[in-house]
Amino acid sequence: MEEELEPHDTKAVDANEEASSAPEDSSPQQEKSSNNAEEADVGFSASCLTTAELQQHWRAVKQEFRSVKLLFDIPTTRIIDQKISKYVVYQVVVIRSGSYDCERVAIERRYSDFLHLHQELLLDFSEEMEDIVMPRKKMTGNFSEENIAERRVALRDYLTHLYSLRCVRKSQAFLAFFTHKELKPSYDLLRGGRFSRALEGLQKVLVLEEKLSSHNPTLVVPTLCAILVCQRDLEDSDAAFQTGRRALPMVRRYELRQYQGPLLEALVDLGYSLGLPVAQLQDELTRAQDSPNGQVSEMSLKELVVQEFV
């Protein structure tokens, strides 16, 4: 069983139990149609996308139709003892099961963060959460090793129970619990021109968003665009171009017009600087700007990004 593979008897929850898996057997004609659909969705010419990149994108597309399981763990804690306050910090890890997850990003949250999440969720899902109990603090002994270990397990199970509710795991409050504390300082660093440190925080958040937002892949687009801005300002044009190409298929598929023009413009500029063929991207940008169906943002990608968390 999967639980036996993880320490602390971590529980697995089916994050998409109602979704059907992709068929294992398919005819050559079906495979050909799938490949054609894949290339059409990506939208890059063969000179812009390598076979490996096409395969990577298609694996991501198929992943949307698979049953995804996430494991929650709180492997360690630490006590913060300040002059005016003393509290416990819990290290939270989100793990994608089913295959080896090499990106086990850890975040730290206080008990008050869990309590705030619980109160926010109750505002919208009180009926659905009537059987879920928030672990409580004890009147005494909150900093004893025994009580901390007991609460660590209880909070881990609490996250597992929350994630078992479809409405909760799709809520903005649940996602924000895992990402907001890291995103806000990262955007502050970006606006202050401290791109290296901002990039570090954004990449950490991206790993979490990709695991938690399988129901809505567009949630990672703002973070990918912010990462691109950091990489470009750090003069890592190749990495910035690759990041933009990860975001563009989602921008196209879900018609995220707010990002369409700025992202295409950034990719065209980066492509020119790298000596890559960008005629197709330039044509797409021109069509987007001339389209009567929707207003394309006239801001640059950086101007769009810095508005986040203002």
Side-chain angles (χ1 to χ4, degrees):
M1 295 178 64
E2 291 175 348
E3 289 84 349
E4 297 175 354
L5 299 179
E6 300 300 333
H8 312 294
D9 189 30
T10 307
K11 298 182 180 178
V13 178
D14 191 342
N16 197 13
E17 64 273 13
E18 67 282 344
S20 58
S21 301
E24 296 181 359
D25 298 321
S26 57
S27 65
Q29 182 63 35
Q30 288 173 321
E31 293 179 359
K32 182 177 179 181
S33 298
S34 296
N35 291 335
N36 290 340
E38 170 192 348
E39 293 176 6
D41 183 60
V42 174
F44 288 106
S45 65
S47 60
C48 282
L49 270 182
T50 66
T51 301
E53 288 168 336
L54 285 169
Q55 291 173 342
Q56 181 182 11
H57 172 71
W58 186 233
R59 283 195 297 269
V61 171
K62 290 192 291 185
Q63 183 65 38
E64 295 178 19
F65 300 98
R66 293 178 183 156
S67 177
V68 178
K69 292 182 179 180
L70 292 184
L71 306 172
F72 296 89
D73 196 14
I74 303 180
T76 62
T77 62
R78 62 192 182 99
I79 298 175
I80 306 297
D81 194 356
Q82 300 175 335
K83 290 183 178 180
I84 59 174
S85 65
K86 182 178 181 180
Y87 55 90
V88 180
V89 170
Y90 300 87
Q91 184 189 76
V92 181
V93 181
V94 182
I95 307 165
R96 179 183 287 133
S97 68
S99 61
Y100 179 70
D101 188 349
C102 60
E103 295 183 301
R104 301 192 180 188
V105 171
I107 58 173
E108 290 190 329
R109 295 293 182 265
R110 298 175 57 177
Y111 178 85
S112 59
D113 296 319
F114 285 89
L115 183 59
H116 178 72
L117 169 65
H118 189 73
Q119 292 170 341
E120 274 200 297
L121 292 174
L122 284 177
L123 293 176
D124 295 321
F125 312 114
S126 58
E127 292 185 5
E128 293 84 350
M129 293 176 57
E130 61 181 358
D131 295 327
I132 296 181
V133 179
M134 172 69 187
R136 294 184 179 183
K137 285 186 177 182
K138 296 186 177 181
M139 295 299 295
T140 59
N142 282 301
F143 299 102
S144 69
E145 291 186 9
E146 181 180 356
N147 285 343
I148 290 175
E150 181 180 331
R151 193 178 304 120
R152 175 177 60 79
V153 173
L155 290 172
R156 181 201 67 194
D157 292 344
Y158 170 74
L159 291 176
T160 299
H161 293 155
L162 287 180
Y163 199 71
S164 69
L165 299 178
R166 183 181 179 186
C167 58
V168 170
R169 66 173 174 261
K170 290 189 174 185
S171 68
Q172 181 59 36
F174 189 76
L175 179 64
F177 171 81
F178 294 92
T179 61
H180 185 84
K181 280 199 167 186
E182 284 70 31
L183 274 177
K184 190 178 186 308
S186 295
Y187 277 97
D188 289 341
L189 289 166
L190 190 157
R191 283 189 287 270
R194 303 171 70 178
F195 301 112
S196 294
R197 290 189 59 191
L199 181 60
E200 182 180 347
L202 290 166
Q203 289 174 328
K204 178 178 179 179
V205 169
L206 181 63
V207 174
L208 290 168
E209 287 180 335
E210 288 176 330
K211 294 179 181 182
L212 292 161
S213 62
S214 59
H215 61 279
N216 185 4
T218 64
L219 293 174
V220 305
V221 170
T223 305
L224 284 171
C225 290
I227 289 173
L228 184 157
V229 169
C230 290
Q231 291 169 331
R232 183 177 58 183
D233 283 1
L234 290 170
E235 300 183 354
D236 192 351
S237 297
D238 184 65
F241 191 74
Q242 299 299 330
T243 298
R245 292 205 294 194
R246 288 179 62 186
L248 188 56
M250 288 176 283
V251 171
R252 287 171 172 154
R253 187 184 310 166
Y254 299 101
E255 298 184 349
L256 304 181
R257 300 189 185 280
Q258 181 183 14
Y259 289 94
Q260 185 181 21
L263 179 58
L264 283 167
E265 186 175 18
L267 283 169
V268 169
D269 290 342
L270 287 165
Y272 275 127
S273 68
L274 293 167
L276 299 174
V278 293
Q280 184 176 349
L281 293 173
Q282 182 65 68
D283 290 344
E284 185 178 351
L285 175 59
T286 301
R287 290 195 303 271
Q289 292 171 337
D290 296 340
S291 174
N293 298 326
Q295 184 69 32
V296 175
S297 174
E298 296 182 357
M299 292 189 293
S300 68
L301 191 62
K302 188 172 185 178
E303 290 172 336
L304 187 62
V305 163
V306 297
Q307 291 183 350
E308 296 287 341
F309 289 92
V310 174

